[in-house]
Amino acid sequence: MSDSGPPPGAYDDMPAPVPPAFAKVTDINAESSPVVASGCKEWLDDFKTSQKVGIVLAFLVLIILLFIEISEEHPKANEALACSLFLTIFWVFEVIPVAMTSILPVIVFPLAGVTSGRDTASRYYNFIQFLFIGAFLVVVAIEEVQAHKRFALTVVSYIGVKPMRILAGLMAVSFILSMFASNTSTT
């Protein structure tokens, strides 16, 4: 076993990095941009049928529930229910990526007058959430550059293919990665 690193060509069979699932890589020009295009047909063609149904259903439920009085005792309950169902429909039908849907309450609840923006943001963004966000960003970066495959290939090239050695190598890589990333995403 040599300490010179992985053998030449060890990474040649790795695929090119793929953009994350929530990003659409397209050329923005006058023909494809929804802002510049004369109509929104091109923009709507990017949505799946289930997403189109979700958009229509979400806004329909929002409008209907905003005009129905549920409780005279709790005046903001109606708006809270309408916003909650609106966001639930966006989440179920994945109208926009789930990560973006999870941020929408910070915008929707203050606009509907359910709570103040400061109150909503303070419940969403405290130091624990930022700790998780930072750890998940590190994990996304590791996946984006295919570092997890490089670690695995390097470990296997150094330790060999015996089951006990592979297990020890995976344990070592998990140990090292858990220092920088969330334990859930390391394993």
Side-chain angles (χ1 to χ4, degrees), residues 159-177:
I159 63 170
V161 293
K162 292 184 178 178
M164 288 299 286
R165 289 180 148 215
I166 289 178
L167 181 62
L170 289 175
M171 288 170 54
V173 169
S174 294
F175 170 75
I176 292 168
L177 286 178

Side-chain angles (χ1 to χ4, degrees), residues 120-159:
T120 307
S122 69
R123 296 183 191 280
Y124 268 81
Y125 305 115
N126 60 31
F127 68 96
I128 298 294
Q129 270 87 9
F130 277 107
L131 179 69
F132 279 104
I133 289 170
F136 290 139
L137 286 176
V138 169
V139 171
V140 168
I142 288 171
E143 288 179 355
E144 182 70 26
V145 298
Q146 305 275 325
H148 58 295
K149 290 183 181 180
R150 294 175 191 212
F151 289 147
L153 285 172
T154 303
V155 167
V156 169
S157 69
Y158 280 135
I159 63 170

Side-chain angles (χ1 to χ4, degrees), residues 29-49:
N29 56 34
E31 290 81 30
S32 67
S33 174
V35 176
V36 179
S38 60
C40 63
K41 177 148 179 44
E42 295 89 8
W43 180 70
L44 281 175
D45 288 341
D46 289 342
F47 285 99
K48 294 185 273 186
T49 305

Side-chain angles (χ1 to χ4, degrees), residues 19-78:
F22 56 84
K24 285 189 177 180
V25 180
T26 59
D27 293 328
I28 302 292
N29 56 34
E31 290 81 30
S32 67
S33 174
V35 176
V36 179
S38 60
C40 63
K41 177 148 179 44
E42 295 89 8
W43 180 70
L44 281 175
D45 288 341
D46 289 342
F47 285 99
K48 294 185 273 186
T49 305
S50 63
Q51 291 173 315
K52 292 176 187 176
V53 169
I55 291 173
V56 171
L57 185 64
F59 282 104
L60 187 65
V61 166
L62 180 70
I63 291 169
I64 290 172
L65 286 178
L66 284 177
F67 290 109
I68 297 175
E69 190 66 38
I70 295 173
S71 171
E72 293 178 15
E73 206 174 299
H74 304 286
K76 292 185 181 180
N78 193 36

Side-chain angles (χ1 to χ4, degrees), residues 74-150:
H74 304 286
K76 292 185 181 180
N78 193 36
E79 288 83 5
L81 177 66
C83 291
S84 297
L85 286 177
F86 174 80
L87 295 169
T88 302
I89 292 169
F90 260 51
W91 176 69
V92 168
F93 287 93
E94 292 186 29
V95 173
I96 58 176
V98 176
M100 292 174 61
T101 305
S102 68
I103 298 172
L104 280 180
V106 176
I107 300 166
V108 173
F109 283 148
L111 283 176
V114 177
T115 61
S116 69
R118 180 179 300 261
D119 185 41
T120 307
S122 69
R123 296 183 191 280
Y124 268 81
Y125 305 115
N126 60 31
F127 68 96
I128 298 294
Q129 270 87 9
F130 277 107
L131 179 69
F132 279 104
I133 289 170
F136 290 139
L137 286 176
V138 169
V139 171
V140 168
I142 288 171
E143 288 179 355
E144 182 70 26
V145 298
Q146 305 275 325
H148 58 295
K149 290 183 181 180
R150 294 175 191 212

